[in-house]
Amino acid sequence: MDLTQLPAGVTAVADHGLPAFAVDTPACTATVHLHGAHVTAWTPEGSAPVLYLSPEARFSPGTAIRGGVPICFPWFGPGRDGDLSPSHGPVRLTEWEPLDVQRDGDDVRLTFGLTAPVARSIAPDAPYPAVGLSYVVTLGRELDLALTIHALADADVEAALHTYLAVEDVRTTSIAGLEGASYLDKVTGDETGPQEGAVRFAGETDRVYDASGTVALDDGARRLEVSSEGGTKTVVWNPWSEKAASMGDLPDDAWTRFVCIETAAVHDGPIVVPAGAQHTLRQRINPTAV
Ligand code: BG6
């Protein structure tokens, strides 16, 4: 597409040395990198930044950006048999193709695409299915993320929109909407639950909830509604102090300032798409008054 013909409020820029779209409208400011089709910043008008981006995030080809919204595909973590790399799949490690940029009132809609050959070139030894991906990012007062899998042959894949949400302090943050759901606790390895009351944080938290729908994060300063469609699970992750200290792209004290809420189709709830069909995994984030 012609990047010199962009609608008002959208500019093609280099951000941290990589190509990106910068959005500045009455509804929001935002940055979306072509690398990983990664939304790295979104600040709705009148709000503090909604997404957490590590100040030590690495921006370079072949590397995942720590923060914002990484896309995990076609496997999650090391995959269902635990033997795949790179972690969370190759699509967050490579540049996607910008296909379309539209302005609709105060909303900006960016569409990206990634073909199987390009994704395969990142991890040639790993199994990558015959699928094309498109990703529509709508940036306004709400953030709407829609990842569509276009199956060229029967596909059985994992996927997640791995959103890092900025919070005042994870220790005083809660997530409502998962009450009653069972979950895999990846810290202990146990199938656990049901979840009693809101999710609160008192240590490393890495859970795959058997639930998909709308949850609400409250950190005392702001309430964020996170809605999921087309997935089977909700992943909640915070590394806490010890694990954060071992991560090279995160300051040691940064673990207090984010929680990941991930719209996911992973483990025993993958996305199965017959040849010729498509499936969309969607997450919407809506800041509401406390
Ligand atoms: C979460 C996983 O989704 O992502 C965690 O549940 C993992 O187990 C975390 O540690 C971060 O993964 P990565 O590969 O971005 O460091």
Side-chain angles (χ1 to χ4, degrees):
M1 67 167 289
D2 181 358
L3 295 179
T4 61
Q5 299 289 318
L6 295 172
V10 188
T11 321
V13 297
D15 182 285
H16 293 82
L18 292 181
F21 289 112
V23 172
D24 188 350
T25 66
C28 72
T29 59
T31 310
V32 185
H33 282 79
L34 274 51
H35 181 77
H38 202 120
V39 183
T40 42
W42 172 59
T43 305
E45 172 59 20
S47 170
V50 169
L51 302 177
Y52 176 80
L53 178 66
S54 169
E56 294 176 5
R58 296 175 184 138
F59 289 77
S60 75
T63 304
I65 298 170
R66 178 72 60 199
V69 189
I71 300 174
C72 308
F73 186 88
W75 59 86
F76 183 72
R80 284 171 278 181
D81 294 329
D83 59 353
L84 295 178
S85 71
S87 172
H88 291 323
V91 309
R92 63 176 180 163
L93 306 180
T94 191
E95 198 168 294
W96 290 48
E97 187 184 355
L99 298 176
D100 189 40
V101 179
Q102 294 288 332
R103 172 91 182 241
D104 181 7
D106 285 344
D107 285 351
V108 167
R109 194 165 48 251
L110 308 176
T111 304
F112 298 90
L114 186 70
T115 64
V118 172
R120 276 190 196 118
S121 67
I122 306 302
D125 296 333
Y128 194 93
V131 300
L133 295 178
S134 60
Y135 188 44
V136 181
V137 176
T138 308
L139 304 139
R141 291 177 181 83
E142 179 181 282
L143 178 64
D144 187 337
L145 308 167
L147 175 71
T148 300
I149 299 150
H150 306 263
L152 307 172
D154 291 352
D156 179 341
V157 293
E158 294 183 292
L161 299 169
H162 189 313
T163 306
Y164 287 70
L165 296 166
V167 296
E168 292 273 309
D169 189 327
V170 67
R171 293 162 292 190
T172 50
T173 292
S174 63
I175 300 171
L178 293 166
E179 297 81 355
S182 57
Y183 58 93
L184 169 65
D185 187 333
K186 287 173 69 179
V187 178
T188 62
D190 295 334
E191 287 288 348
T192 320
Q195 171 69 37
E196 287 177 21
V199 180
R200 293 178 200 283
F201 299 85
E204 182 184 354
T205 303
D206 192 354
R207 299 179 182 174
V208 182
Y209 282 91
D210 223 342
S212 183
T214 300
V215 301
L217 176 146
D218 189 340
D219 69 351
R222 172 168 69 187
R223 188 171 179 275
L224 295 172
E225 243 179 46
V226 181
S227 312
S228 299
E229 289 169 33
T232 54
K233 312 278 184 183
T234 301
V235 180
V236 176
W237 180 63
N238 177 278
W240 218 252
S241 49
E242 202 175 315
K243 186 160 186 189
S246 73
M247 295 165 70
D249 55 1
L250 196 66
D252 286 356
D253 58 356
W255 59 274
T256 60
R257 294 199 284 278
F258 71 87
V259 169
C260 290
I261 298 182
E262 309 173 37
T263 294
V266 300
H267 299 184
D268 60 350
I271 293 171
V272 178
V273 202
Q278 61 185 51
H279 181 92
T280 298
L281 184 69
R282 185 172 180 204
Q283 185 183 75
R284 283 178 296 158
I285 305 174
N286 198 350
T288 59
V290 178

